Amino acid sequence: MRSRTSMSAVAAIAGLAAIASGCAPANSDTAGDRPTTLVLADAQPLGEYNPVNGYSELGVSPLYDGLLRPQPVSDKEIPALTPALAAGAPTSNPDQTVWDVELRDGVTFHDGTTFDAADVVATYNAVLDPGTGSEIAASYDMIDTVTAINDQHVRFTLRYPYAEFPARLLLGIAPSELVTNGPARDSQLNKKPVGTGPYTLTELRPDQAVFAANPNYWGGVPEITKLVTTYVPDDNSRAQQMQAGSLSGTVIPPSMAGAFTDPATPVVAVETADWRGLSLPSNNAFTSDEQARIAMNIGVDRNSIIEHVLAGHGLPAYTPFAPVYGDAYNADAVFDYRPDDADRILDAAGWQPGPDGVRVKDGQRAEFTLMYLASDSSRRDMSTAFAAAVEPLGIKVNLRGATWDEMEKDATTAAIMLGGGDKPYSIDTQVYETLHTRSSNTPTYSNPGNFTIPGVDDALDLARRSLDPAVRNPAYQQVQDAYIDHPTHVFLAFIDHTYVTADNSWERGPLVLEPHTHGVTWGPWWNVAGWRP
């Protein structure tokens, strides 16, 4: 049983909620000449704040804390993972199948209840429960049991050795009383989140969320006292509002970064492990041909796409392995731009130019549909650039903007302009689901064509379970070599995430290497609770 804090503390939370319930214009509240209210515009819908379904999975959130959290030096390297709700670093047995975590004492949730081991057990068990339909369950497959040794001690017992398990301890923790059975998408935590984080949600509408500083935050009360996030899905609208001075900051596509030249609203470009690339359907006659996939990979000028679509904000991607992974990264695993060789490969594979210029083989055309998220201008522009790049090779790509629900229905029959790298602080979760043969719990957009690359499943499994970098790094190198010979996607770029901010009177600390997920929870605001004058 968990105890409640004093009624005065609960009253303080309620009072702060009342103060913060209305939306204020940018920078309306100040401490001296510094704004203490931030008004941020995001491209992502508001709500869905349930950690069981993946919100705050990487320990970055105004609402929740994980057992660990990232502590970066810069956005150019994998951040260190340091204790948050944990009292110290996790410890393991010699074969790293049992991990023990001692918990921080004196932490309370937003509702006044006390944080303890039961909350950790409930949150992780809900992720693992098939009945919740958690979208992140596959990434926690290594966990066998989660046990409360006592109120301040949690033990994770794994199904197999897993050296990178600390990266699974970033997940935001919710109160056990509010972690309920049934689908995670239906949980009240989506709209009424309760965490231990530095901010509480005081108002939620479809177009606006208001967060107030948590007066009882264990890490100290934030000096930014109020966050207002508005939902503005249109890129141009967010940029216009920023230029009009009605926002403290927003996320923009890289292609719009050049429009912001005023030093008062600088563009912040953050490096990421977030790739963009095409999944390819295995039941299309052309894309199921491995020689055709090789030809497309060497027939695309990635540097040109980065220059003209991303305004230079990115790095070429040939596989889902980013250079940030150091000794596991294979710098030789690249597709050189060789359009003439691409033509010869297609000719040799029997794909001959037809009357209209589109190649044909056995009555099948070198043609497929490429779907992209209609509301995402960067994905649209990259899809258009890809289609233009392969057209001279005699390949016809039909572009179609769609919603995620529409794309899910066609994930096995159409190519999709995907983004990846949602859990980059572990190389295993950066690449495993994208390249491994699908299993029953593989997410929809991970290897949707369900291709199997010779030798890659075994190498990925070996690297996942090995504790020895001398074994793991060569296995990952082998995966990259095999992928170049047997590509299943056309990866194009690791994109920089670009933001505009007007909040330049605060010391914000270092940026952090970002995952696929981005928006105003990340960027300059990822650690807003730690901002100092």
Side-chain angles (χ1 to χ4, degrees):
M1 177 69 70
R2 296 185 300 118
S3 62
R4 292 194 169 265
T5 58
S6 68
M7 290 304 296
S8 60
V10 177
I13 296 175
L16 192 55
I19 293 171
S21 63
C23 177
N27 303 347
S28 63
D29 299 325
T30 61
D33 60 352
R34 294 184 306 278
T36 58
T37 290
L38 303 183
V39 180
L40 309 173
D42 209 345
Q44 300 301 318
L46 305 174
E48 300 183 2
Y49 296 130
N50 184 3
V52 172
N53 218 25
Y55 180 79
S56 186
E57 191 184 5
L58 294 183
V60 174
S61 159
L63 296 168
Y64 297 96
D65 298 303
L67 296 174
L68 304 180
R69 62 181 170 191
Q71 182 172 310
V73 174
S74 77
D75 56 337
K76 301 181 185 302
E77 58 188 77
I78 303 296
L81 305 181
T82 60
L85 294 180
T91 59
S92 73
N93 65 346
D95 71 358
Q96 298 189 5
T97 57
V98 178
W99 291 79
D100 287 283
V101 183
E102 298 288 343
L103 304 183
R104 187 180 295 275
D105 195 14
V107 176
T108 57
F109 285 99
H110 300 152
D111 63 359
T113 55
T114 302
F115 163 74
D116 65 15
D119 307 303
V120 179
V121 172
T123 302
Y124 277 87
N125 279 342
V127 170
L128 299 172
D129 179 5
T132 67
S134 172
E135 295 181 3
I136 61 173
S139 297
Y140 296 80
D141 175 74
M142 74 291 297
I143 299 176
D144 185 23
T145 61
V146 187
T147 307
I149 303 302
N150 56 49
D151 283 351
Q152 299 302 118
H153 182 176
V154 177
R155 175 167 293 165
F156 295 85
T157 303
L158 309 187
R159 302 179 190 277
Y160 48 83
Y162 192 65
E164 297 189 348
F165 185 66
R168 302 276 65 78
L169 299 178
L170 298 166
L171 179 66
I173 303 300
S176 57
E177 293 89 345
L178 300 182
V179 178
T180 55
N181 296 328
R185 65 178 180 272
D186 297 334
S187 169
Q188 66 174 319
L189 290 171
N190 286 297
K191 304 299 182 186
K192 298 179 180 180
V194 177
T196 61
Y199 292 89
T200 63
L201 180 69
T202 61
E203 180 184 355
L204 179 62
R205 307 194 313 246
D207 64 336
Q208 177 180 284
V210 180
F211 304 86
N214 176 3
N216 299 307
Y217 185 51
W218 60 267
V221 181
E223 295 197 43
I224 297 291
T225 59
K226 183 172 161 184
L227 302 173
V228 180
T229 300
T230 61
Y231 173 45
V232 185
D234 182 72
D235 295 332
N236 287 312
S237 295
R238 292 196 312 281
Q240 290 168 3
Q241 290 180 32
M242 190 70 205
Q243 289 172 329
S246 59
L247 296 174
S248 307
T250 190
V251 55
I252 58 170
S255 60
M256 290 185 176
F260 291 88
T261 57
D262 187 341
T265 54
V267 172
V268 178
V270 185
E271 294 194 19
T272 78
D274 179 12
W275 55 258
R276 292 289 181 275
L278 289 71
S279 67
L280 297 169
S282 55
N283 58 2
N284 174 283
F286 180 68
T287 57
S288 65
D289 185 333
E290 184 172 272
Q291 295 304 302
R293 299 196 299 273
I294 292 172
M296 285 188 285
N297 269 285
I298 66 174
V300 174
D301 186 348
R302 291 165 173 81
N303 286 310
S304 178
I305 291 177
I306 291 168
E307 178 183 357
H308 294 104
V309 177
L310 301 179
H313 290 294
L315 295 171
Y318 310 99
T319 75
F321 290 81
V324 74
Y325 294 112
D327 290 341
Y329 174 68
N330 187 344
D332 296 324
V334 301
F335 292 104
D336 293 325
Y337 176 49
R338 308 192 315 272
D340 291 344
D341 286 344
D343 268 323
R344 286 191 283 270
I345 288 171
L346 291 170
D347 288 340
W351 293 96
Q352 300 299 318
D356 61 354
V358 177
R359 292 177 181 268
V360 180
K361 178 181 179 181
D362 298 332
Q364 300 292 323
R365 286 164 60 84
E367 181 176 4
F368 59 93
T369 296
L370 171 56
M371 304 177 73
Y372 60 87
L373 185 63
S375 61
D376 189 321
S377 62
S378 291
R379 295 192 197 217
R380 177 200 65 204
D381 294 345
M382 293 188 79
S383 298
T384 301
F386 172 82
V390 299
E391 184 179 13
L393 301 177
I395 303 168
K396 182 173 177 56
V397 178
N398 303 305
L399 300 177
R400 179 184 163 198
T403 65
W404 286 119
D405 287 342
E406 291 168 336
M407 285 187 282
E408 184 170 355
K409 296 175 184 177
D410 296 325
T412 62
T413 59
I416 301 175
M417 181 60 70
L418 293 176
D422 57 334
K423 288 176 276 291
Y425 303 153
S426 159
I427 189 173
D428 171 71
T429 47
Q430 171 76 6
V431 301
Y432 189 93
E433 292 173 357
T434 299
L435 299 182
H436 198 282
T437 303
R438 290 181 60 84
S439 64
S440 59
N441 63 350
T442 301
T444 299
Y445 299 109
S446 295
N447 190 9
N450 200 21
F451 290 101
T452 297
I453 305 170
V456 162
D457 285 2
D458 289 342
L460 288 172
D461 288 333
L462 173 64
R464 169 170 277 193
R465 289 163 170 77
S466 174
L467 305 181
D468 186 355
V471 173
R472 297 166 65 207
N473 289 337
Y476 285 129
Q477 297 262 344
Q478 176 188 337
V479 168
Q480 292 161 84
D481 283 334
Y483 180 86
I484 296 300
D485 293 334
H486 307 282
T488 59
H489 296 63
V490 181
F491 297 103
L492 295 173
F494 293 103
I495 69 168
D496 294 344
H497 294 160
T498 45
Y499 305 88
V500 186
T501 177
D503 310 303
N504 302 307
S505 59
W506 293 87
E507 174 56 53
R508 298 192 293 249
L511 297 170
V512 63
L513 179 82
E514 292 193 358
H516 167 65
T517 300
H518 55 292
V520 299
T521 300
W522 291 86
W525 311 283
W526 80 273
N527 189 32
V528 67
W531 284 18
R532 296 293 180 264

